[in-house]
Protein backbone atom coordinates (compact mmCIF):
# COMPACT_ATOMS: atom_id res chain seq x y z
CA UNK A 1 0.00 0.00 0.00
CA UNK A 2 1.30 3.50 -0.74
CA UNK A 3 1.69 6.26 1.79
CA UNK A 4 -1.60 7.97 0.88
CA UNK A 5 -3.52 4.75 1.57
CA UNK A 6 -1.83 4.35 4.92
CA UNK A 7 -2.56 7.96 5.92
CA UNK A 8 -6.20 7.58 4.88
CA UNK A 9 -6.64 4.46 6.97
CA UNK A 10 -4.99 6.19 9.93
CA UNK A 11 -7.33 9.15 9.50
CA UNK A 12 -10.49 7.12 9.36
CA UNK A 13 -9.40 5.01 12.34
CA UNK A 14 -8.57 8.17 14.32
CA UNK A 15 -11.90 9.85 13.58
CA UNK A 16 -13.92 6.75 14.47
CA UNK A 17 -11.95 5.81 17.60
CA UNK A 18 -11.65 9.45 18.68
CA UNK A 19 -15.39 10.02 18.39
CA UNK A 20 -16.16 6.83 20.31
CA UNK A 21 -13.73 7.95 23.00
CA UNK A 22 -15.42 11.34 23.21
CA UNK A 23 -18.82 9.71 23.67
CA UNK A 24 -17.43 7.39 26.36
CA UNK A 25 -15.73 10.23 28.21
CA UNK A 26 -18.99 12.17 28.38
CA UNK A 27 -20.74 9.29 30.06
CA UNK A 28 -20.83 10.06 33.83
CA UNK A 29 -21.02 6.33 34.67
CA UNK A 30 -17.72 5.55 32.97
CA UNK A 31 -15.43 3.40 35.07
CA UNK A 32 -12.65 5.56 36.53
CA UNK A 33 -9.79 3.34 35.32
CA UNK A 34 -11.14 3.42 31.78
CA UNK A 35 -11.55 7.19 32.06
CA UNK A 36 -7.94 7.48 33.18
CA UNK A 37 -6.68 5.32 30.31
CA UNK A 38 -8.73 7.02 27.61
CA UNK A 39 -8.34 10.57 28.82
CA UNK A 40 -5.09 10.99 30.74
CA UNK A 41 -3.02 8.23 29.23
CA UNK A 42 -4.12 8.31 25.60
CA UNK A 43 -5.87 11.44 24.35
CA UNK A 44 -4.14 13.89 26.73
CA UNK A 45 -0.96 11.86 27.00
CA UNK A 46 0.55 9.56 24.41
CA UNK A 47 -1.42 10.72 21.37
CA UNK A 48 -1.19 14.39 22.29
CA UNK A 49 2.58 14.02 22.49
CA UNK A 50 2.71 12.06 19.20
CA UNK A 51 0.66 14.72 17.40
CA UNK A 52 2.77 17.58 18.74
CA UNK A 53 6.01 15.85 17.76
CA UNK A 54 4.66 15.21 14.28
CA UNK A 55 3.73 18.85 13.70
CA UNK A 56 7.05 19.96 15.18
CA UNK A 57 8.95 17.65 12.83
CA UNK A 58 7.27 19.35 9.87
CA UNK A 59 7.62 22.86 11.21
CA UNK A 60 11.30 22.50 11.96
CA UNK A 61 11.96 22.04 8.27
CA UNK A 62 9.95 24.98 6.99
CA UNK A 63 12.39 27.87 7.47
CA UNK A 64 15.60 26.04 6.42
CA UNK A 65 13.87 24.46 3.47
CA UNK A 66 12.23 27.63 2.20
CA UNK A 67 15.44 29.61 2.56
CA UNK A 68 17.77 27.06 0.99
CA UNK A 69 15.41 26.05 -1.76
CA UNK A 70 14.59 29.61 -2.75
CA UNK A 71 18.22 30.76 -2.75
CA UNK A 72 18.93 27.73 -4.93
CA UNK A 73 16.06 28.49 -7.29
CA UNK A 74 17.02 32.14 -7.74
CA UNK A 75 20.78 31.77 -8.01
CA UNK A 76 20.43 29.22 -10.77
CA UNK A 77 18.07 31.37 -12.84
CA UNK A 78 19.80 31.90 -16.14
CA UNK A 79 17.99 35.13 -16.75
CA UNK A 80 17.43 37.02 -13.52
CA UNK A 81 15.30 39.64 -15.19
CA UNK A 82 12.67 36.93 -15.67
CA UNK A 83 12.24 36.94 -11.89
CA UNK A 84 10.00 40.01 -11.98
CA UNK A 85 7.77 38.52 -14.65
CA UNK A 86 7.62 35.17 -12.88
CA UNK A 87 6.68 36.67 -9.54
CA UNK A 88 4.20 39.05 -11.19
CA UNK A 89 2.41 36.16 -12.87
CA UNK A 90 2.36 34.10 -9.69
CA UNK A 91 1.00 36.90 -7.54
CA UNK A 92 -1.60 37.87 -10.17
CA UNK A 93 -2.85 34.28 -10.32
CA UNK A 94 -2.98 34.10 -6.54
CA UNK A 95 -5.10 37.24 -6.41
CA UNK A 96 -7.41 36.16 -9.22
CA UNK A 97 -8.08 32.72 -7.73
CA UNK A 98 -8.80 34.29 -4.35
CA UNK A 99 -11.19 36.77 -6.01
CA UNK A 100 -13.03 33.88 -7.66
CA UNK A 101 -13.13 31.96 -4.38
CA UNK A 102 -14.69 34.78 -2.39
CA UNK A 103 -17.21 35.59 -5.13
CA UNK A 104 -18.28 31.95 -5.22
CA UNK A 105 -18.65 31.98 -1.44
CA UNK A 106 -20.79 35.12 -1.50
CA UNK A 107 -22.97 33.69 -4.23
CA UNK A 108 -23.62 30.44 -2.38
CA UNK A 109 -24.19 32.24 0.91
CA UNK A 110 -26.81 34.56 -0.60
CA UNK A 111 -28.51 31.56 -2.19
CA UNK A 112 -28.59 29.30 0.87
CA UNK A 113 -29.03 32.01 3.50
CA UNK A 114 -27.19 30.17 6.31
CA UNK A 115 -27.75 32.86 8.94
CA UNK A 116 -31.50 33.16 8.72
CA UNK A 117 -33.29 32.44 11.98
CA UNK A 118 -30.09 31.74 13.87
CA UNK A 119 -30.25 32.10 17.62
CA UNK A 120 -27.63 34.64 18.62
CA UNK A 121 -26.84 33.50 22.13
CA UNK A 122 -23.33 34.86 22.38
CA UNK A 123 -20.54 33.49 24.45
CA UNK A 124 -20.07 35.96 27.30
CA UNK A 125 -16.38 35.08 27.57
CA UNK A 126 -15.72 35.98 23.96
CA UNK A 127 -13.29 38.80 23.23
CA UNK A 128 -13.28 39.93 19.60
CA UNK A 129 -9.84 39.48 18.04
CA UNK A 130 -7.80 42.48 16.99
CA UNK A 131 -6.46 42.12 13.47
CA UNK A 132 -3.22 43.77 12.39
CA UNK A 133 -3.79 46.95 10.31
CA UNK A 134 -3.19 46.29 6.63
CA UNK A 135 -0.40 48.85 6.34
CA UNK A 136 1.57 46.92 8.95
CA UNK A 137 1.01 43.73 7.03
CA UNK A 138 2.72 45.36 4.04
CA UNK A 139 5.54 47.05 5.96
CA UNK A 140 6.25 43.71 7.63
CA UNK A 141 7.32 42.14 4.36
CA UNK A 142 10.77 43.71 4.55
CA UNK A 143 13.20 42.16 7.00
CA UNK A 144 15.34 44.29 9.26
CA UNK A 145 17.11 41.33 10.77
CA UNK A 146 17.18 38.08 8.79
CA UNK A 147 18.06 35.97 11.80
CA UNK A 148 15.10 37.36 13.74
CA UNK A 149 12.87 36.76 10.72
CA UNK A 150 13.97 33.15 10.61
CA UNK A 151 13.69 32.69 14.34
CA UNK A 152 10.14 34.03 14.29
CA UNK A 153 9.29 32.03 11.18
CA UNK A 154 8.24 35.22 9.40
CA UNK A 155 7.81 33.68 5.99
CA UNK A 156 7.50 36.77 3.83
CA UNK A 157 10.65 38.25 5.31
CA UNK A 158 12.52 35.00 4.82
CA UNK A 159 11.35 34.93 1.21
CA UNK A 160 12.51 38.50 0.56
CA UNK A 161 15.90 37.84 2.13
CA UNK A 162 16.36 34.60 0.20
CA UNK A 163 15.48 36.38 -3.04
CA UNK A 164 18.08 39.07 -2.38
CA UNK A 165 20.82 36.59 -1.48
CA UNK A 166 19.91 34.39 -4.45
CA UNK A 167 20.13 37.29 -6.89
CA UNK A 168 23.48 38.36 -5.43
CA UNK A 169 24.90 34.82 -5.62
CA UNK A 170 23.81 34.61 -9.25
CA UNK A 171 25.81 37.76 -10.00
CA UNK A 172 28.97 36.89 -8.09
CA UNK A 173 30.82 34.84 -10.68
CA UNK A 174 33.09 32.09 -9.29
CA UNK A 175 32.32 32.95 -5.69
CA UNK A 176 28.62 32.68 -6.40
CA UNK A 177 29.08 29.42 -8.23
CA UNK A 178 30.86 27.81 -5.31
CA UNK A 179 28.31 28.89 -2.76
CA UNK A 180 25.42 28.08 -5.13
CA UNK A 181 26.68 24.50 -5.38
CA UNK A 182 26.61 24.27 -1.58
CA UNK A 183 23.04 25.46 -1.48
CA UNK A 184 22.18 22.83 -4.07
CA UNK A 185 23.61 20.10 -1.89
CA UNK A 186 21.77 21.39 1.14
CA UNK A 187 18.55 21.44 -0.83
CA UNK A 188 18.94 17.76 -1.70
CA UNK A 189 19.70 16.89 1.91
CA UNK A 190 16.67 18.76 3.25
CA UNK A 191 14.38 17.22 0.66
CA UNK A 192 15.63 13.81 1.72
CA UNK A 193 14.75 14.68 5.29
CA UNK A 194 11.22 15.62 4.19
CA UNK A 195 10.85 12.21 2.52
CA UNK A 196 12.14 10.49 5.64
CA UNK A 197 9.82 12.33 7.99
CA UNK A 198 6.83 11.74 5.75
CA UNK A 199 7.12 8.03 6.51
CA UNK A 200 5.85 8.77 9.99
CA UNK A 201 2.78 10.55 8.69
CA UNK A 202 0.26 7.75 9.29
CA UNK A 203 1.17 7.66 13.00
CA UNK A 204 1.34 11.43 13.28
CA UNK A 205 -1.99 11.93 11.57
CA UNK A 206 -3.60 9.28 13.76
CA UNK A 207 -2.35 10.99 16.93
CA UNK A 208 -3.45 14.47 15.81
CA UNK A 209 -6.92 13.49 14.73
CA UNK A 210 -7.57 11.11 17.61
CA UNK A 211 -6.80 13.85 20.13
CA UNK A 212 -8.93 16.36 18.29
CA UNK A 213 -11.96 14.13 17.96
CA UNK A 214 -11.66 12.70 21.47
CA UNK A 215 -11.55 16.20 22.94
CA UNK A 216 -13.99 18.26 20.95
CA UNK A 217 -15.65 16.15 18.25
CA UNK A 218 -16.71 18.32 15.35
CA UNK A 219 -18.01 20.99 17.70
CA UNK A 220 -21.53 22.19 18.43
CA UNK A 221 -23.23 22.08 15.08
CA UNK A 222 -26.81 23.08 15.99
CA UNK A 223 -27.88 26.16 14.04
CA UNK A 224 -24.64 26.14 12.12
CA UNK A 225 -25.42 23.20 9.87
CA UNK A 226 -26.38 25.31 6.85
CA UNK A 227 -23.36 27.56 7.45
CA UNK A 228 -21.04 24.56 7.54
CA UNK A 229 -22.59 22.96 4.48
CA UNK A 230 -22.35 26.23 2.55
CA UNK A 231 -18.65 26.62 3.40
CA UNK A 232 -17.94 22.96 2.60
CA UNK A 233 -19.93 23.18 -0.67
CA UNK A 234 -17.99 26.25 -1.78
CA UNK A 235 -14.67 24.60 -0.82
CA UNK A 236 -15.54 21.48 -2.81
CA UNK A 237 -16.62 23.42 -5.89
CA UNK A 238 -13.50 25.56 -5.73
CA UNK A 239 -11.17 22.60 -5.22
CA UNK A 240 -12.74 20.13 -7.60
CA UNK A 241 -14.29 22.33 -10.31
CA UNK A 242 -12.68 25.78 -10.37
CA UNK A 243 -9.04 24.65 -9.98
CA UNK A 244 -9.29 21.84 -12.54
CA UNK A 245 -10.90 24.25 -15.02
CA UNK A 246 -8.18 26.88 -14.51
CA UNK A 247 -5.45 24.25 -14.73
CA UNK A 248 -6.85 22.77 -17.92
CA UNK A 249 -7.61 26.17 -19.43
CA UNK A 250 -4.25 27.78 -18.73
CA UNK A 251 -1.84 24.87 -18.99
CA UNK A 252 -3.67 22.09 -20.84
CA UNK A 253 -2.41 19.60 -18.25
CA UNK A 254 -4.57 16.82 -16.83
CA UNK A 255 -6.60 17.89 -13.78
CA UNK A 256 -7.03 14.20 -12.83
CA UNK A 257 -3.32 13.67 -12.60
CA UNK A 258 -2.99 16.88 -10.62
CA UNK A 259 -5.70 15.99 -8.10
CA UNK A 260 -4.42 12.45 -7.75
CA UNK A 261 -0.94 13.67 -6.88
CA UNK A 262 -2.28 16.29 -4.48
CA UNK A 263 -3.88 13.75 -2.13
CA UNK A 264 -0.95 13.30 0.20
CA UNK A 265 -0.32 16.99 0.68
CA UNK A 266 -4.05 17.59 1.18
CA UNK A 267 -4.15 14.98 3.93
CA UNK A 268 -1.21 16.67 5.65
CA UNK A 269 -2.92 20.05 5.37
CA UNK A 270 -6.18 18.63 6.64
CA UNK A 271 -4.58 17.01 9.67
CA UNK A 272 -2.35 19.92 10.67
CA UNK A 273 -4.69 22.79 9.62
CA UNK A 274 -1.55 24.70 8.72
CA UNK A 275 -0.40 25.65 5.21
CA UNK A 276 2.97 26.65 6.63
CA UNK A 277 3.62 23.34 8.37
CA UNK A 278 2.63 21.62 5.13
CA UNK A 279 5.14 23.60 2.99
CA UNK A 280 7.78 20.83 3.00
CA UNK A 281 5.23 18.32 1.78
CA UNK A 282 3.68 20.67 -0.79
CA UNK A 283 7.11 21.54 -2.11
CA UNK A 284 8.06 17.90 -2.43
CA UNK A 285 4.75 17.09 -4.15
CA UNK A 286 5.06 19.90 -6.66
CA UNK A 287 8.72 19.24 -7.46
CA UNK A 288 9.13 15.50 -7.24
CA UNK A 289 5.66 14.25 -8.12
CA UNK A 290 4.60 16.89 -10.64
CA UNK A 291 7.98 17.77 -12.10
CA UNK A 292 7.87 21.54 -11.45
CA UNK A 293 11.41 22.94 -11.57
CA UNK A 294 12.86 24.29 -8.35
CA UNK A 295 13.17 27.80 -9.75
CA UNK A 296 9.37 28.13 -9.85
CA UNK A 297 8.31 25.84 -6.99
CA UNK A 298 10.72 27.28 -4.44
CA UNK A 299 9.18 30.70 -4.92
CA UNK A 300 5.53 29.94 -5.62
CA UNK A 301 4.89 27.36 -2.89
CA UNK A 302 6.12 29.22 0.22
CA UNK A 303 4.71 32.49 -1.10
CA UNK A 304 1.37 30.80 -1.69
CA UNK A 305 1.38 29.24 1.77
CA UNK A 306 1.76 32.76 3.14
CA UNK A 307 -0.44 34.94 0.95
CA UNK A 308 -2.76 32.69 -1.04
CA UNK A 309 -5.64 31.44 1.06
CA UNK A 310 -8.60 30.71 -1.17
CA UNK A 311 -10.21 28.37 1.34
CA UNK A 312 -9.89 30.99 4.05
CA UNK A 313 -11.43 33.63 1.78
CA UNK A 314 -14.35 31.27 1.15
CA UNK A 315 -14.97 30.85 4.87
CA UNK A 316 -14.74 34.62 5.36
CA UNK A 317 -17.22 35.30 2.57
CA UNK A 318 -19.80 32.85 3.88
CA UNK A 319 -19.19 33.96 7.47
CA UNK A 320 -19.75 37.62 6.62
CA UNK A 321 -23.09 36.94 4.96
CA UNK A 322 -24.00 34.54 7.78
CA UNK A 323 -23.28 37.13 10.46
CA UNK A 324 -25.16 39.85 8.57
CA UNK A 325 -28.19 37.58 8.30
CA UNK A 326 -27.98 36.44 11.91
CA UNK A 327 -27.98 40.06 13.10
CA UNK A 328 -30.61 40.95 10.51
CA UNK A 329 -28.42 43.55 8.86
CA UNK A 330 -28.53 44.15 5.12
CA UNK A 331 -25.48 44.16 2.91
CA UNK A 332 -25.61 46.47 -0.10
CA UNK A 333 -23.94 45.85 -3.43
CA UNK A 334 -21.10 48.17 -2.35
CA UNK A 335 -20.72 46.10 0.81
CA UNK A 336 -20.33 42.95 -1.27
CA UNK A 337 -17.59 44.59 -3.33
CA UNK A 338 -15.91 45.75 -0.13
CA UNK A 339 -16.09 42.23 1.24
CA UNK A 340 -14.44 40.88 -1.92
CA UNK A 341 -11.62 43.40 -1.68
CA UNK A 342 -10.97 43.14 2.04
CA UNK A 343 -11.25 39.34 2.08
CA UNK A 344 -8.57 39.27 -0.63
CA UNK A 345 -6.33 41.45 1.52
CA UNK A 346 -7.25 39.56 4.67
CA UNK A 347 -6.30 36.30 3.02
CA UNK A 348 -2.89 37.81 2.23
CA UNK A 349 -2.54 38.84 5.86
CA UNK A 350 -3.62 35.43 7.20
CA UNK A 351 -0.68 33.41 8.44
CA UNK A 352 -0.70 29.76 7.44
CA UNK A 353 -1.35 28.45 10.93
CA UNK A 354 -4.50 27.02 12.52
CA UNK A 355 -7.39 29.37 13.15
CA UNK A 356 -5.91 32.66 11.97
CA UNK A 357 -8.55 33.00 9.26
CA UNK A 358 -11.02 33.71 12.02
CA UNK A 359 -8.83 36.53 13.38
CA UNK A 360 -8.50 38.26 10.03
CA UNK A 361 -12.24 37.84 9.51
CA UNK A 362 -12.41 40.76 11.95
CA UNK A 363 -10.90 42.98 9.22
CA UNK A 364 -13.65 42.09 6.79
CA UNK A 365 -16.45 42.52 9.30
CA UNK A 366 -15.07 45.90 10.36
CA UNK A 367 -14.99 47.14 6.76
CA UNK A 368 -18.70 46.57 6.31
CA UNK A 369 -19.67 47.59 9.82
CA UNK A 370 -20.77 44.19 11.10
CA UNK A 371 -20.45 43.33 14.81
CA UNK A 372 -17.22 41.49 15.61
CA UNK A 373 -19.09 39.50 18.24
CA UNK A 374 -20.54 37.59 15.31
CA UNK A 375 -17.30 35.63 15.24
CA UNK A 376 -18.34 33.99 18.50
CA UNK A 377 -21.25 32.40 16.66
CA UNK A 378 -19.07 30.35 14.37
CA UNK A 379 -16.01 29.73 16.50
CA UNK A 380 -17.33 26.39 17.79
CA UNK A 381 -17.24 24.66 14.41
CA UNK A 382 -14.23 26.46 13.01
CA UNK A 383 -11.59 23.82 13.60
CA UNK A 384 -13.09 21.25 11.28
CA UNK A 385 -13.70 23.91 8.60
CA UNK A 386 -10.13 25.15 9.14
CA UNK A 387 -8.84 21.69 8.30
CA UNK A 388 -10.84 21.59 5.10
CA UNK A 389 -10.00 25.11 3.98
CA UNK A 390 -6.29 24.55 4.60
CA UNK A 391 -6.43 21.60 2.17
CA UNK A 392 -7.96 23.95 -0.42
CA UNK A 393 -5.38 26.65 0.35
CA UNK A 394 -2.44 24.43 -0.48
CA UNK A 395 -4.20 22.95 -3.53
CA UNK A 396 -4.45 26.49 -4.87
CA UNK A 397 -0.75 27.12 -4.24
CA UNK A 398 0.18 23.94 -6.09
CA UNK A 399 -2.18 24.59 -9.00
CA UNK A 400 -0.73 28.06 -9.54
CA UNK A 401 2.83 26.67 -9.29
CA UNK A 402 2.05 24.15 -12.02
CA UNK A 403 0.38 26.72 -14.28
CA UNK A 404 3.25 29.20 -13.89
CA UNK A 405 5.83 26.45 -14.41
CA UNK A 406 4.12 25.30 -17.60
CA UNK A 407 4.07 28.86 -18.94
CA UNK A 408 7.77 29.25 -18.11
CA UNK A 409 8.73 25.90 -19.62
CA UNK A 410 9.85 24.88 -16.15
CA UNK A 411 8.02 21.60 -15.78
CA UNK A 412 9.09 18.09 -16.67
CA UNK A 413 6.02 16.72 -18.42
CA UNK A 414 7.15 13.10 -18.19
CA UNK A 415 7.21 13.42 -14.43
CA UNK A 416 3.85 15.17 -14.35
CA UNK A 417 2.19 12.52 -16.50
CA UNK A 418 3.75 9.56 -14.73
CA UNK A 419 1.30 8.55 -11.97
CA UNK A 420 4.06 6.80 -10.02
CA UNK A 421 6.65 9.61 -10.12
CA UNK A 422 7.94 10.45 -6.65
CA UNK A 423 5.36 8.20 -4.99
CA UNK A 424 6.25 6.91 -1.55
CA UNK A 425 5.60 3.42 -0.32
N1 LIG B 1 -5.30 27.36 8.78
C1 LIG B 1 -5.27 28.10 7.55
C2 LIG B 1 -4.00 27.79 6.80
O1 LIG B 1 -3.00 27.48 7.41
C3 LIG B 1 -5.42 29.56 7.76
C4 LIG B 1 -6.80 29.86 8.30
O2 LIG B 1 -7.72 29.94 7.49
O3 LIG B 1 -6.98 29.96 9.49
O4 LIG B 1 -3.96 27.84 5.60
Amino acid sequence: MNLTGKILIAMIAAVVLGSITQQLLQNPDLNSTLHYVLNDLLSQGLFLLGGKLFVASLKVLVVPLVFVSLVCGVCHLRDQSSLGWLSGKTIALYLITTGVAISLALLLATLFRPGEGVNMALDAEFKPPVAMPLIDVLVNIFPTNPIAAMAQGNMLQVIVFALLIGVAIGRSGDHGERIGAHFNDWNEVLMKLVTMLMQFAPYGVFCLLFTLFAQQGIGKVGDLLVYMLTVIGALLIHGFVVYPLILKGLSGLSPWMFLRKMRNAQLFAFSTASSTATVPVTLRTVEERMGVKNRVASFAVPLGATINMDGTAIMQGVATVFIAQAFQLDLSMTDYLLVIMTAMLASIGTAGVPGVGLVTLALVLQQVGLPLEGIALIIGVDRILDMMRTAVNITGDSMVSVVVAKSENAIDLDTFNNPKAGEQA
Side-chain angles (χ1 to χ4, degrees), residues 272-276 305 308-309 311-313 315-316 350-358 382 386-387 389-391 393-394:
T272 57
S274 167
S275 310
T276 307
N308 183 46
M309 309 269 172
T312 304
M315 175 280 285
Q316 293 182 336
T350 305
V353 289
V356 182
L358 218 52
D382 195 61
D386 192 7
M387 297 159 79
R389 67 181 182 250
T390 308
N393 288 347
I394 61 126

Side-chain angles (χ1 to χ4, degrees), residues 125-163:
E125 300 270 293
F126 179 74
K127 285 197 205 70
V130 187
M132 191 195 260
L134 282 174
I135 187 87
D136 290 352
V137 172
L138 297 178
V139 169
N140 249 332
I141 295 177
F142 296 93
T144 46
N145 177 343
I147 306 293
M150 289 185 194
Q152 290 156 4
N154 187 323
M155 202 54 67
L156 286 178
Q157 296 192 357
V158 174
I159 291 176
V160 170
F161 185 61
L163 282 174

Side-chain angles (χ1 to χ4, degrees), residues 77 80-94 159 163 295-296 299-300 303 307 400 404 408:
L77 268 186
Q80 285 191 345
S81 59
S82 66
L83 195 63
W85 178 226
L86 189 145
S87 42
K89 255 196 288 194
T90 312
I91 294 172
L93 275 172
Y94 281 153
I159 291 176
L163 282 174
R295 67 173 196 267
V296 172
F299 174 71
L303 184 72
I307 69 163
V400 169
V404 172
E408 292 278 317

Side-chain angles (χ1 to χ4, degrees), residues 113-121 222-227 322-323 325-328 377-378:
R113 316 193 63 75
E116 228 154 57
V118 166
N119 164 17
M120 290 178 314
D223 278 349
L224 296 173
L225 189 64
V226 186
Y227 164 73
F322 169 85
I323 291 168
Q325 287 167 353
F327 285 89
Q328 291 167 358
L377 294 175
I378 51 175

Side-chain angles (χ1 to χ4, degrees), residues 396-417:
D397 305 339
S398 309
M399 191 276 292
V400 169
S401 308
V402 171
V403 168
V404 172
K406 178 75 186 1
S407 75
E408 292 278 317
N409 239 335
I411 184 165
D412 177 14
L413 293 177
D414 289 340
T415 308
F416 185 89
N417 291 319

